[in-house]
Every structure is written in C-alpha cells, then in structure tokens.
C-alpha cells in the first residue's frame, strides 16, 4: 500500500517519500527509486509501471533524414536514448522502422523529422499512413535548439537524439504534418520541372554565344528539344488546373488582380497548395517569407527586413508581379506614394507591393468575388 501511495503521488512528492519507495522483495532500494524519478522527469505513475515489470514505451521519436539513409532515436526510462542508425531510405528501411516503432513507442507517438529537400517526404507519408503523429520542422528550429543546449557534437546519431529531445520539449507547440493532396503535389512537380527546363534553356543559350561552329548544330538541336518540352509542360500545367474544379475556381478569381497572371497563379498553387486553407492574410504572407522582421533592442533601432522564413520560390515568383503592380495596380500605386513620402527605400516598397498582392489574393478567395480596384483603394 505504501508503494501504491507513492506511485499515485506527483513527482514533486518523491524526495519526501523515498523511504517507502522500495518494493517488498527489496529489489530496488530507496536511493535508486528516487534517482529514477528525478532522472526521467515523468510522472511517478509511469515509473511505477516500469518497477512492476510493465514496459514503459516512449512517446517521442527523432528522425535525422539524409538522401540514402536515416537515423532514429527515442527515450528510455533511465533518461538515455534508444537509437538505430543508417536505415535505408527506401521501402526496406521503412519496414524496419515500423517494426522498431512497434517495439519501442506508443501507437500515438509523435515522430519528428526535419524538412530535407524531398528526401523526407516518402518516410513522413509512410509513418503517417501507419497512424503515427508526424511533424516536419524547419531545420532552423532544431539548429537553434541545439545552440540553446550547447551541443558540441554533430553526427547523424546525435542529431536524431537532439530531434527526439526537441520533440519532447516542444510537443505542445509543434504543428502536425499531413501529406499534401496528390493534385497539388503533381502540380508542384510540373511547375518545378518547367523551372528546370527553362534553366537548361538559359544554359544552352549561354553556351551557344561562345561555342565553336562545330558544336553549334548540337546546341541548337538540344535547344529545339527543350523548347518543345517547355511548350508541352506549359500545356500540361494549364490542363491540370483546368481539369480540377477547385483550382479552376481559384484561378478565375486570382487572375482578376492587376499584376497577377497565369504564371504567377501557377506558382502560388504549386508552392503553397490550397490557398483557401489560410484563415488570415498574415499567415499567407508568412508562408511566402514576406512578413517584416523587426530588429530593435534597447536603444538600437535596426532596419526592418523580411523574414525569408518561407518559400523562396514564391518570393522570386512575386518579384516581377510586384514591379508590374507598382505601375498598373491603382491601390498599390497609391500605397507606393505613401511609402515614398515616408522615406521608404525602393526595395522596401517592392516587398510591400508583393505583400499587398498576397492580401488581395486572400481577399478575392475569402469573398468569392473578382478583384475590385475601387474596393481595394477604399481600404
């Protein structure tokens, strides 16, 4: 009974009751029981389950993903980590990971990994489909956490441990991840393929300018093929949007905004997905990394820059539309005059125009009405 009363106590009670914390058969002494409670930092009820022989399963898993492999870590009741290194980043490795999870963690465990180009996506979707909670975080957040912990070791294994610790400490603040709908993933693949083709075209054109006559025929042949691929990809993107009622509806509203055309619309849908999921225009702006970043401290008044914590592709895709809007969108032209009068720099004005365009995107989607310049000016 004394043992059960201890287990019902909060962890803070443990120092006062440690003399009653050993079992009747004397296997575990008072000092060891007290040390385990403080070391783990969990409730005494969880410790009780461990003392009577029931396995205590972890609730957090850290995953460090690379191109070909990934490392995993979770917490043990004694405060250390259970790890597994160099699992293959393919179907075989995923199955090994699932078997490991079934032995080590609870069915509702939170699995946290960093966004690593595209290399984390298949693994994240695999564990998501198995019913686990998944969180994909910006590597900058775990890097900052490592700095706050004064970590001095940088290996894949230590990174997995670090992410597991980060998951446990920040669990309440982390946003759960879910796979993008297939139609948006396909659109993103098409738009990024178009980017690649256009980059290859620029490279070949640059070569053509300085090449010998002997190879110009080859370069022109490649250019003709790339031009054909670019045209076909443009058609595929347009057809993909035309064939989907939701995308088509968003397109018909967004392209009514002065400054935004078909290409910008394609970029927004490809990189940000369903734009109607944002319940605040500031969240849409933040997703593009265009929100202001203040740098004031004490007497220091630093210059205001954009955060850049968001999609660089969206920012790049909005630059020319922002310039166009400064010349042709009446509401943004009026804003430009106000900002100039307040002494704002040209780049600040361009970024403000890009932000304003995203506010207009949110407005037309929220209202379901085409862009109205008069209403925009009134606001």
């Amino acid at each position: 009974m004394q043992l059960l009363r201890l287990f019902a106590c909060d962890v803070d009670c443990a120092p006062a009751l440690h003399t009653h914390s050993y079992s009747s058969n004397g296997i575990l002494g008072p000092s060891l029981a007290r040390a385990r409670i403080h070391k783990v930092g969990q409730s005494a009820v969880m410790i009780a389950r461990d003392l009577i022989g029931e396995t205590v399963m972890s609730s957090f898993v850290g995953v460090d993903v690379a191109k070909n492999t990934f490392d995993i870590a979770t917490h043990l009741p004694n405060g250390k980590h259970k790890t597994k290194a160099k699992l293959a980043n393919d179907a075989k490795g995923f199955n090994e990971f699932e078997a490991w999870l079934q032995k080590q963690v609870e069915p509702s465990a939170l699995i946290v990994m960093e966004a690593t180009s595209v290399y984390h996506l298949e693994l994240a979707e695999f564990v998501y489909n198995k019913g686990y909670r998944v969180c994909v975080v910006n590597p900058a957040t775990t890097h900052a956490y490592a700095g706050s912990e004064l970590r001095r070791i940088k290996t894949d294994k230590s990174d997995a441990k670090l992410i597991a610790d980060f998951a446990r400490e920040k669990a309440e603040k982390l946003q759960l991840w879910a796979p993008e709908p297939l139609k948006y993933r396909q659109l993103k693949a098409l738009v990024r393929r178009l980017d690649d083709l256009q980059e290859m075209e620029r490279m070949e054109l640059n070569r053509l300018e300085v090449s010998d006559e002997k190879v110009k025929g080859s370069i022109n042949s490649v250019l003709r093929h790339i031009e054909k691929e670019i045209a076909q990809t443009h058609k595929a993107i347009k057809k993909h949007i035309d064939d989907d009622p939701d995308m088509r509806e968003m397109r018909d509203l967004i392209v009514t905004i002065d400054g935004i055309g078909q290409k910008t619309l394609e970029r927004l849908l490809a990189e940000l997905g369903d734009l109607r999921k944002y319940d605040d225009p500031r969240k849409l702006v933040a997703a593009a990394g265009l929100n202001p970043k203040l740098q004031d401290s004490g007497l220091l008044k630093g210059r205001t820059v954009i955060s850049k914590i968001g999609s660089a592709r969206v920012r790049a895709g909005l630059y020319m539309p922002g310039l166009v809007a400064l010349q042709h969108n009446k509401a943004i032209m009026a804003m430009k005059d106000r900002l100039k009068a307040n002494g704002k720099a040209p780049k600040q004005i361009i970024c403000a125009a890009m932000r304003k365009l995203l506010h207009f995107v949110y407005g037309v989607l929220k209202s379901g009405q085409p862009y109205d310049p008069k209403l925009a000016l009134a606001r």
Side-chain angles (χ1 to χ4, degrees):
M1 291 301 294
Q2 293 286 353
L3 178 64
L4 293 177
R5 279 197 292 272
L6 166 66
F7 293 158
C9 270
D10 189 80
V11 172
D12 293 336
C13 300
L17 297 177
H18 72 272
T19 56
H20 304 289
S21 61
Y22 53 88
S23 59
S24 58
N25 57 16
I27 292 177
L28 184 63
S31 61
L32 180 56
R34 183 173 70 257
R36 293 189 70 178
I37 290 174
H38 285 288
K39 183 72 174 177
V40 178
Q42 297 177 345
S43 71
V45 175
M46 294 293 290
I47 300 300
R49 290 169 54 193
D50 190 31
L51 298 183
I52 63 176
E54 185 179 343
T55 302
V56 179
M57 304 188 81
S58 177
S59 299
F60 305 99
V61 180
V63 184
D64 183 66
V65 184
K67 179 179 180 180
N68 297 316
T69 61
F70 62 95
D71 290 49
I72 53 180
T74 191
H75 301 98
L76 292 172
N78 62 6
K80 296 183 179 181
H81 294 86
K82 178 75 173 179
T83 62
K84 192 173 179 68
K86 304 302 179 187
L87 280 77
N89 196 358
D90 56 23
K92 180 181 178 182
F94 297 169
N95 290 330
E96 289 183 44
F97 186 27
E98 182 187 8
W100 185 89
L101 288 172
Q102 290 173 351
K103 294 179 181 178
Q104 304 296 335
V105 303
E106 298 175 351
S108 61
L110 176 65
I111 300 174
V112 178
M113 62 188 74
E114 295 174 335
T116 312
S117 184
V118 297
Y119 303 127
H120 68 283
L121 291 176
E122 287 190 23
L123 177 59
E125 186 168 359
F126 176 84
V127 291
Y128 176 87
N129 290 333
K130 296 299 179 181
Y132 294 98
R133 296 179 299 145
V134 181
C135 180
V136 177
V137 299
N138 189 318
T141 60
T142 52
H143 179 74
Y145 177 75
S148 71
E149 295 290 304
L150 301 179
R151 295 293 176 106
R152 296 176 175 86
I153 300 175
K154 175 70 172 136
T155 65
D156 293 339
K157 183 177 179 180
S158 67
D159 283 350
K161 294 179 181 178
L162 173 78
I163 296 171
D165 293 344
F166 172 83
R168 183 171 64 181
E169 186 167 325
K170 306 292 185 180
E172 294 182 359
K173 297 181 179 179
L174 296 179
Q175 184 175 357
L176 294 181
W177 176 90
E180 274 189 303
L182 179 61
K183 60 185 180 182
Y184 290 106
R185 281 184 281 170
Q186 291 174 336
L187 179 61
K188 180 184 289 187
L190 285 168
V191 171
R192 291 193 174 182
R193 177 57 182 166
L194 179 62
D195 290 342
D196 294 338
L197 289 168
Q198 290 172 336
E199 178 63 23
M200 286 189 282
E201 183 182 39
R202 285 190 291 271
M203 292 168 63
E204 291 299 299
L205 286 171
N206 291 337
R207 292 189 183 103
L208 187 63
E209 291 179 359
V210 297
S211 64
D212 189 272
E213 290 293 332
K214 284 285 187 180
V215 297
K216 283 189 176 180
S218 172
I219 295 174
N220 282 320
S221 176
V222 171
L223 281 170
R224 286 192 295 271
H225 178 71
I226 293 175
E227 288 170 1
K228 182 180 177 181
E229 287 293 319
I230 288 174
Q232 290 179 347
T233 307
H234 273 303
K235 290 180 181 178
I237 292 172
K238 185 177 183 303
K239 184 177 185 302
H240 187 80
I241 294 175
D242 286 341
D243 290 346
D244 185 86
D246 292 333
M247 290 188 188
R248 189 170 64 244
E249 181 184 358
M250 284 188 283
R251 178 201 59 194
D252 293 343
L253 290 170
I254 292 172
V255 296
T256 62
I257 300 170
D258 297 330
I260 294 183
Q262 179 71 21
K263 291 183 180 179
T264 306
L265 174 278
E266 293 168 358
R267 173 82 55 195
L268 291 174
L269 291 178
E271 297 300 329
L272 300 180
D274 189 348
L275 300 173
R276 297 170 302 184
K277 68 187 176 186
Y278 297 99
D279 58 6
D280 189 307
R282 291 171 295 183
K283 293 182 180 179
L284 179 57
V285 169
L290 285 168
N291 50 312
K293 180 181 178 182
L294 301 179
Q295 301 185 94
D296 295 345
S297 179
L299 298 177
L300 172 67
K301 299 296 181 183
R303 65 192 186 97
T304 301
V305 297
I306 58 173
S307 72
K308 295 187 179 180
I309 303 176
S311 173
R313 291 175 183 264
V314 171
R315 291 196 300 276
L318 281 173
Y319 183 77
M320 287 306 297
L323 291 178
V324 172
L326 287 170
Q327 301 297 322
H328 301 284
N329 188 302
K330 293 182 179 179
I332 292 179
M333 290 167 65
M335 180 190 70
K336 176 183 69 173
D337 294 338
R338 292 195 304 271
L339 293 176
K340 269 189 176 181
N342 290 331
K344 298 299 182 182
K347 284 187 177 180
Q348 290 178 306
I349 295 174
I350 294 171
C351 288
M354 294 160 67
R355 281 196 299 274
K356 184 62 76 172
L357 285 175
L358 290 178
H359 277 260
F360 290 159
V361 168
Y362 175 84
V364 296
L365 294 179
K366 187 72 173 178
S367 66
Q369 300 296 321
Y371 176 70
D372 185 348
K374 294 180 180 179
L375 183 60
L377 274 170
R379 291 183 177 178

